[in-house]
Amino acid sequence: MNDHYADPLREAAAHGMQKVVQVTPTAAAAVQVWLHVKAQRVREQAERERQAADALRTKQRAAHRAARLQWLPANDPAWLRTADLLQVSRAWGAALPYATNDPGAERALLRCESRLRELHPYAMNRYDRLRVEGHTPEAAMREVTPLFAREPCPRTGYPAPVRPQLPPVVRLAQEDFPHTIDKVVEACGSTRATAGATVASGMRCKSERA
C-alpha cells in the first residue's frame, strides 16, 4: 500500500496563486474606480477654479467700469476747471488703481494732481516733496491728506499784532521777584493816578453832554 504525502509548501503556493487569481480582478476594478473618482475630483476642482476666476474677472471689470465713470470727467478740461477739492480727490482716487495699465486713468491722475495744486498748493507742495523722496502716490497722498483741512495758501512773515501798553503793576508782576516795596508803591500809585484820570475824563464828558 502506497501512501500519498502532499507537499505542504507546494499546496500553500498553489492555494496562494488561486487566491491571487481570484483577488486580481477585484483589485483591478477597485483601482479603476479610485482613478475614476480621482479624475472626477480633479475635473470638479478645475471647474470650480474656472468659475471662481470668471467671477473674479467679471467683478474686476465691473469695478473698472465704475471707477472709469468717476475718473473719466477729469480728462475734460471744462469739468476740471470748475471741479472742487472733493470732486477732484474722488477722481484721483478712482484713477489711482488703474493708472499703471490704463492710459486714460494715468492722464486723469496727472490732471487731477495739477488741479489739486491749484486748489491747495500747501498740501500738494508736501505731496510733491514726498514723491521726489520716493514715496508712492498712494503713500504720499495718505500722509498729506490732513493738510487739506488747513489754509490752502498760508501767509507768513506778517508782523505780530500790536498789544496795548500794560499798566505798571502788570509789567511789574511779569518781572522777576522779589520787588522792593518802593517799586510796588510807585507802581500802585501810578495805576491809581491813571485810573483817576480816566474817571475824571469820563465825568467831564458826561457833564459836557448834559
Side-chain angles (χ1 to χ4, degrees):
M1 180 177 180
N2 295 327
D3 295 330
H4 176 72
Y5 296 99
D7 187 349
L9 295 177
R10 184 176 297 177
E11 289 183 358
H15 183 71
M17 289 298 297
Q18 184 180 3
K19 289 293 185 181
V20 169
V21 171
Q22 293 174 352
V23 171
T24 297
T26 304
V31 170
Q32 290 296 326
V33 171
W34 179 79
L35 292 175
H36 176 75
V37 171
K38 183 178 180 181
Q40 181 65 23
R41 289 177 178 175
V42 170
R43 288 192 295 269
E44 291 175 354
Q45 179 65 23
E47 179 64 17
R48 286 194 295 269
E49 292 177 355
R50 184 190 65 80
Q51 292 176 356
D54 291 344
L56 179 60
R57 283 192 294 269
T58 301
K59 185 177 180 180
Q60 289 174 341
R61 285 194 295 267
H64 189 184
R65 286 194 297 268
R68 187 173 183 272
L69 292 176
Q70 295 187 52
W71 56 252
L72 187 60
N75 287 325
D76 180 3
W79 180 90
L80 202 60
R81 281 194 300 270
T82 59
D84 58 22
L85 185 63
L86 181 59
Q87 292 172 321
V88 178
S89 299
R90 287 176 176 172
W92 184 92
L96 178 62
Y98 306 97
T100 303
N101 301 317
D102 190 325
E106 182 181 12
R107 288 193 301 272
L109 186 78
L110 297 177
R111 290 176 178 177
C112 286
E113 291 180 356
S114 297
R115 176 60 175 162
L116 288 173
R117 292 185 183 95
E118 298 174 358
L119 294 171
H120 209 295
Y122 177 67
M124 291 304 291
N125 284 340
R126 176 59 179 165
Y127 173 84
D128 291 334
R129 288 197 296 270
L130 292 173
R131 294 287 287 121
V132 170
E133 293 173 2
H135 290 70
T136 64
E138 180 181 4
M141 190 61 72
R142 186 185 302 112
E143 182 169 336
V144 304
T145 295
L147 301 182
F148 284 99
R150 300 184 181 181
E151 177 67 28
C153 302
R155 299 178 181 181
T156 58
Y158 285 85
V162 179
R163 298 177 60 186
Q165 185 176 4
L166 296 175
V169 171
V170 178
R171 291 200 305 270
L172 186 63
Q174 292 178 339
E175 297 175 1
D176 292 335
F177 281 89
H179 298 299
T180 64
I181 188 63
D182 295 337
K183 289 184 178 181
V184 174
V185 171
E186 180 182 355
C188 292
S190 177
T191 301
R192 285 195 295 270
T194 303
T198 302
V199 172
S201 176
M203 294 179 63
R204 284 197 301 272
C205 290
K206 289 182 179 179
S207 62
E208 291 175 358
R209 285 197 299 269

